[in-house]
Amino acid sequence: MVLAVADAYLHWVKTILMPIDYAMPADNTLRQARKMLNDRGENWKVLLLGTFRGPFTPISQSVAIHDDLKRKTLEQLAIQRDLLRDSGAANGMTFELLAYMGSLENIVNYLSHEQKVDCLLLSTDLHANREEFGKVLSRVRCPILVIPAIGKEV
């Protein structure tokens, strides 16, 4: 019964939210997700999320610094997207790049509702920070697929 429910769920996964940490190999995470979801993914829209902390400066300088941090984050996400496409892990998928200022758990919680996310895709290497990982897991209200890091125990 559980497998039938899981299989039915896999058919309606369309939008996946994937926070990106530039130190972890995103292609492995996406490739493993496809394997676990029986190579489905041709119609996935993958929201690549980059977060950054806000500047602690006078308000007159904050907007320019925020815009610069957002631009740099989007540039890094574009590099990750291109690497995913080049690796072949993303065949048939479309990508949207999202950069937000704030804590990962708040942004993931917000986006999971705002973007109607069907699945949150995480690597156990997420920021190599168990506390932050736990906060993200506690705030999300959509199904979560956690991919173990290569060569590491969970």
Side-chain angles (χ1 to χ4, degrees), residues 9 17-19 49 103-113 116-122 126 132-146:
Y9 168 74
L17 179 59
M18 184 177 174
L49 172 63
S103 69
L104 183 61
E105 69 269 10
N106 287 336
I107 295 166
V108 165
N109 182 44
Y110 167 75
L111 287 175
S112 64
H113 297 291
K116 296 181 176 61
V117 170
D118 299 315
C119 182
L120 175 63
L121 179 59
L122 299 173
L126 182 67
E132 187 169 16
F133 192 76
K135 287 179 184 178
V136 170
L137 294 179
S138 71
R139 297 284 313 272
V140 175
R141 299 293 177 243
C142 66
I144 303 166
L145 179 58
V146 180

Side-chain angles (χ1 to χ4, degrees), residues 18 20 22 26-27 30 46-48 73-91 93-98:
M18 184 177 174
I20 295 292
Y22 309 111
D27 63 328
L30 201 54
V46 180
L47 307 172
L48 295 180
T73 301
L74 288 170
E75 287 172 0
Q76 289 297 316
L77 288 171
I79 290 169
Q80 290 292 321
R81 178 202 55 213
D82 295 344
L83 288 171
L84 286 167
R85 287 180 176 161
D86 292 346
S87 75
N91 292 339
M93 296 179 193
T94 59
F95 291 92
E96 187 174 330
L97 308 179
L98 304 171

Side-chain angles (χ1 to χ4, degrees), residues 8-16 37 41 43-45 118-119:
Y9 168 74
L10 298 176
H11 288 291
W12 60 265
V13 170
K14 299 290 184 210
T15 304
I16 293 179
L37 298 175
N43 298 316
W44 288 352
K45 177 171 118 178
D118 299 315
C119 182

Side-chain angles (χ1 to χ4, degrees), residues 30-54:
L30 201 54
R31 192 179 314 277
Q32 292 302 318
R34 281 187 96 142
K35 269 189 210 173
M36 293 177 83
L37 298 175
N38 299 321
D39 266 339
R40 292 180 179 95
E42 293 77 24
N43 298 316
W44 288 352
K45 177 171 118 178
V46 180
L47 307 172
L48 295 180
L49 172 63
T51 60
F52 55 94
R53 294 294 179 169

Side-chain angles (χ1 to χ4, degrees), residues 52-63 65-66 69 101-102:
F52 55 94
R53 294 294 179 169
F56 297 102
T57 59
I59 193 72
S60 61
Q61 297 171 349
S62 292
V63 173
I65 293 171
H66 170 273
L69 289 170
M101 178 178 71

